[in-house]
């Protein structure tokens, strides 16, 4: 063989090797081996996922358009590396568990043109994200997220009518392929593919817009993002609304060296594991503030849902000092840490420095302090945005303990950054934050533990004007919205009705389902700032119910979902210290569940439980309190009425 032939052979081998390298496939399995992620690098980058070898997410491409270059098209793979992550995370404000195990296997693929793709496989699912290393700021024109599922897939679809949204949606249970082209939803969204649940959401969302997903008229979903907002004019309500006038042709202007949000997929054939999942927290950035000891979660007496309709008092109820002292007295009596002053405490919604003249705010806050009750102030996002530091300094001067920010209704990059700015500036001043009128949690609560809760759901307030907050709806939330993070649902209704007797009454609202359905929410629903939404007068008239609710913690050391089916029923046990708390909820179908007490350590226990009364199916207010002795060998039969529930508090027997 002459030199020319040798050179030709060497070149051919190199070209063949490069081509082979360019077409490589990578498999990444979860630590328990059940979840497998396959990544294919060819003309584009595709990934898929399976559970126990069964395809769940079918091959779909991923790419990102940055500075007119499409990362992921014609990729040139430079290197790959793998590692196992196994960390124990101590949670500052634990919504599920005091410690979380962050256990996964990771694959990092580095490509020419200064970008990488990172994939992770957890026992509970999978995730991926882009990372770039450019010197200068970049424009992200778009990111393609293409998700394909098995034929015949079903979806709980939180359909949006507009990209301007409070994320207050009902979940449409339908065939994925039945959704016409262009219909789109916010996250989280739950798909059932080949009998396996796939919960799609995102984590570590910073300086980047929220992801929405559009239907394709088939068994797939594709990314949709709100563009960068360039110009907005006041809407019909200029203190809170905006009319979008001009948008950019890109979705983010951001640092060129950064990691982008995780695309998160909880994958399981066990609905219990879906409700237990905390992937969003584990995939988000660590705590960004030095001191978290001041953060005090708690229960809250809330005024707006019950329209301040207290009675049996010798003063006129309303937005005044006397009414809120009544709320403070109620909170103090039952050991509630806070009250909220919702809309109306300020003279106008646009001036947050001038209290309503009928409310002596400083006197009220001082009165609350003397009773051990803090005050949280509601406000619209726009006035706060316009002079944030001045307003927050004033709230601290008054002695407020936190803020409730409302009506954001946008999910673009500016609004994501606004959330972080609120969290950061409030943390500097030791103020708690509750985001109402908000998009879903996406990891900010890990970086800033002073962020207590988010609405971003269709919650109890909708009982005031409609009939959509059914037990069926309530049984979707633990498996979809709550997987993303805490929920400001606002439970605690003391007027409880069945399908026939329910009425939507704005100033004197009620709930669908039984009283015990409401009790159970204090165990099932996660929120470190948990509301008692009803009228304090009603609670005073129901001391047995109120005393029971007041014993419920708002943070947890350990969580176990014992029995569950999406949209049908759930049975949860949670531990706080040495005590256990259990809650069960059902939809409109009466059910019998069994509480297997084997999760308890050996010993003798006392359980105090609230169960649906014999007539709860006719009158939702009917319940029965039962106290009995149990051991870890006990199995309690729980009879739940239509729209019913059950709740119990378990402690060591004397």
């Amino acid at each position: 063989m002459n030199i020319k032939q040798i050179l030709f052979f060497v070149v051919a081998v190199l070209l063949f090797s490069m081509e082979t390298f360019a077409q490589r496939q990578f498999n990444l399995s979860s630590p328990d081996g059940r979840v497998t992620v396959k990544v294919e690098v060819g003309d584009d980058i595709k990934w898929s996922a399976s559970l126990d070898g069964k395809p769940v997410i079918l091959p779909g491409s991923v790419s990102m358009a940055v500075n007119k270059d499409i990362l992921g098209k014609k990729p040139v793979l430079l290197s790959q590396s793998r590692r196992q992550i196994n960390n124990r995370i101590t949670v500052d404000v634990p919504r599920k568990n005091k410690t979380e195990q962050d256990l996964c296997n990771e694959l990092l693929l580095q490509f020419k043109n200064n970008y990488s793709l990172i994939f992770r496989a957890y026992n509970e699912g999978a995730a991926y994200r882009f990372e770039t290393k450019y010197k200068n700021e970049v424009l992200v024109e778009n990111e393609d997220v293409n998700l394909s599922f098995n034929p015949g897939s079903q979806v709980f679809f939180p359909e949006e009518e507009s990209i301007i949204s409070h994320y207050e949606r009902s979940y449409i249970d339908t065939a994925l392929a039945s959704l016409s082209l262009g219909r789109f939803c916010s996250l989280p969204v739950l798909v059932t593919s080949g009998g396996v649940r796939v919960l799609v959401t995102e984590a570590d969302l910073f300086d980047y817009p929220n992801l929405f997903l559009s239907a394709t008229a088939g068994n797939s979903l594709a990314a949709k993002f709100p563009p960068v907002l360039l110009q907005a004019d006041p809407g019909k309500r200029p203190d809170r609304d905006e009319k979008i006038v001009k948008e950019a042709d890109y979705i983010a202007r951001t640092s060129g060296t950064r990691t982008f949000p995780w695309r998160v997929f909880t994958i399981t054939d066990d609905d219990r594991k879906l409700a237990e999942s905390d992937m969003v927290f584990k995939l988000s950035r660590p705590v960004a503030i030095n001191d978290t000891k001041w953060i005090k979660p708690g229960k809250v007496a809330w005024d707006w849902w019950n329209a301040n309709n207290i009675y049996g008092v010798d003063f006129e109820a309303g937005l005044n000092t006397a009414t809120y002292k009544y709320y403070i007295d109620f909170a103090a009596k039952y050991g509630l840490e806070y009250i909220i002053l919702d809309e109306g405490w300020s003279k106008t919604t646009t001036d947050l420095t001038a209290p309503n003249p009928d409310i002596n705010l400083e006197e009220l806050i001082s009165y609350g302090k003397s009773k051990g009750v803090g005050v949280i102030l509601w406000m619209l996002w726009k006035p706060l945005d316009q002079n944030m530091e001045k307003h927050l300094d004033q709230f601290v001067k008054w002695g407020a303990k936190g803020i409730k920010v409302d009506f954001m209704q946008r999910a673009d990059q500016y609004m994501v950054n606004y959330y972080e700015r609120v969290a950061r500036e409030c943390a500097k001043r030791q103020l708690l934050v509750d985001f109402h009128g908000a998009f879903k949690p996406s990891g900010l609560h890990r970086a800033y533990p002073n962020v207590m809760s988010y609405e971003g759901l269709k919650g109890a307030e909708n009982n005031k004007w409609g009939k959509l907050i059914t037990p069926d709806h309530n049984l979707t939330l633990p498996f979809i919205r709550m997987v993303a993070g805490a929920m400001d649902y606002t439970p605690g209704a003391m007027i409880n009705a069945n399908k026939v007797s329910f009425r939507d009454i704005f100033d004197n609202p009620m709930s669908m389902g039984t009283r015990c359905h409401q009790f159970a929410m204090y165990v099932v629903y996660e929120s470190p700032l948990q509301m008692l939404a009803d009228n304090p007068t009603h609670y005073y008239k129901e001391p047995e119910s109120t005393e029971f609710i007041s014993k419920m913690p708002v943070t947890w050391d350990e969580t176990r979902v014992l029995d569950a089916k999406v949209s049908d029923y759930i049975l949860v046990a949670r531990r706080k210290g040495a005590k256990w708390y259990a809650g069960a909820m059902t939809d409109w179908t009466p059910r019998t569940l069994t509480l297997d007490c084997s999760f308890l350590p050996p010993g003798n226990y006392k359980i105090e439980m609230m169960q649906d009364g014999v007539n709860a199916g006719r009158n939702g207010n009917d319940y029965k309190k039962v106290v009995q002795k149990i051991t870890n060998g006990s199995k309690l039969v729980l009879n739940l009425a239509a729209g019913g529930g059950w709740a119990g508090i378990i402690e060591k027997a004397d």
Side-chain angles (χ1 to χ4, degrees), residues 343-592:
E343 184 168 4
W345 70 266
S346 56
K347 188 175 182 179
T348 68
T349 54
T350 55
D351 185 358
L352 302 178
T353 63
N356 180 335
D358 293 328
I359 298 174
N360 188 327
L361 187 60
E362 291 186 77
E363 177 188 340
L364 199 61
I365 290 175
S366 178
Y367 183 74
K369 185 177 181 181
S370 72
K371 298 269 187 171
V373 177
V375 174
I376 295 170
L377 300 175
W378 173 94
M379 63 206 58
L380 294 168
W381 80 272
K382 285 180 69 178
L384 180 63
D385 187 35
Q386 290 160 4
N387 210 334
M388 187 178 296
E389 294 187 14
K390 174 186 174 183
H391 291 324
L392 295 180
D393 287 343
Q394 181 62 65
F395 304 153
V396 172
K397 183 179 178 181
W398 284 334
K401 295 298 183 182
I403 64 172
K404 176 181 176 180
V405 192
D406 206 350
F407 276 88
M408 285 75 75
Q409 68 185 353
R410 281 171 38 199
D412 54 83
Q413 182 187 19
Y414 181 90
M415 191 57 73
V416 170
N417 290 342
Y418 171 80
Y419 279 46
E420 183 176 8
R421 188 157 59 95
V422 170
R424 182 177 61 248
E425 294 301 323
C426 283
K428 290 178 183 177
R429 295 161 176 83
Q430 298 193 356
L431 293 170
L432 305 179
V433 182
D434 177 19
F435 286 115
H436 217 63
F439 54 69
K440 86 286 181 195
S442 305
L444 185 65
H445 56 286
R446 181 175 177 191
Y448 296 92
N450 60 313
V451 175
M452 294 283 97
S453 198
Y454 285 67
E455 190 184 23
L457 54 77
K458 194 175 283 294
E461 67 184 29
N462 289 267
N463 285 308
K464 290 165 70 74
W465 53 76
K467 299 181 179 181
L468 295 175
I469 308 304
T470 63
D472 304 74
H473 171 76
N474 295 338
L475 265 300
T476 61
L477 297 176
F479 306 95
I480 305 176
R481 167 57 182 80
M482 200 170 77
V483 180
M487 307 190 305
D488 191 16
Y489 173 95
T490 65
M494 288 291 108
I495 304 174
N496 314 108
N498 59 23
K499 285 183 182 180
V500 176
S501 59
F502 177 82
R503 301 289 184 273
D504 51 300
I505 304 170
F506 189 87
D507 288 340
N508 194 26
M510 62 184 72
S511 72
M512 287 192 189
T514 70
R515 175 75 56 82
C516 289
H517 192 80
Q518 295 289 310
F519 290 153
M521 290 178 181
Y522 288 91
V523 181
V524 175
Y525 288 177
E526 297 163 5
S527 180
L529 202 63
Q530 188 61 279
M531 306 293 165
L532 276 71
D534 214 326
N535 188 333
T537 307
H538 293 168
Y539 289 124
Y540 276 133
K541 290 179 177 293
E542 299 276 0
E544 189 174 68
S545 293
T546 310
E547 287 169 7
F548 185 80
I549 293 172
S550 71
K551 296 176 183 178
M552 293 294 180
V554 297
T555 59
W556 306 99
D557 296 336
E558 183 180 353
T559 292
R560 301 188 190 185
V561 180
L562 305 177
D563 198 2
K565 185 178 180 182
V566 174
S567 82
D568 289 349
Y569 61 87
I570 192 168
L571 173 58
V572 178
R574 301 187 194 262
R575 181 179 61 82
K576 180 73 172 183
K579 293 184 180 180
W580 283 85
Y581 302 78
M585 299 168 63
T586 186
D587 58 7
W588 282 127
T589 302
R591 297 183 194 279
T592 299

Side-chain angles (χ1 to χ4, degrees), residues 4 25 50 62 86 112 122 136 149 153 180 231 279 294 324 379 382 418 472 496 510 536 585 588 617 620:
K4 189 174 181 180
Q25 293 186 358
S50 60
V62 297
N86 189 1
K112 184 180 178 181
Y122 286 84
N136 301 316
F149 302 95
S153 291
S180 56
Q231 182 183 346
M279 285 182 69
W294 62 270
Y324 285 113
M379 63 206 58
K382 285 180 69 178
Y418 171 80
D472 304 74
N496 314 108
M510 62 184 72
M585 299 168 63
W588 282 127

Side-chain angles (χ1 to χ4, degrees), residues 595 605-609 626-628 630 636 646 648-650:
L595 179 67
Y605 295 85
K606 177 186 76 171
I607 183 168
E608 174 188 350
M609 52 187 170
V626 176
V627 178
Q628 68 182 66
I630 61 170
L636 304 181
W646 174 95
I649 301 173
I650 306 169

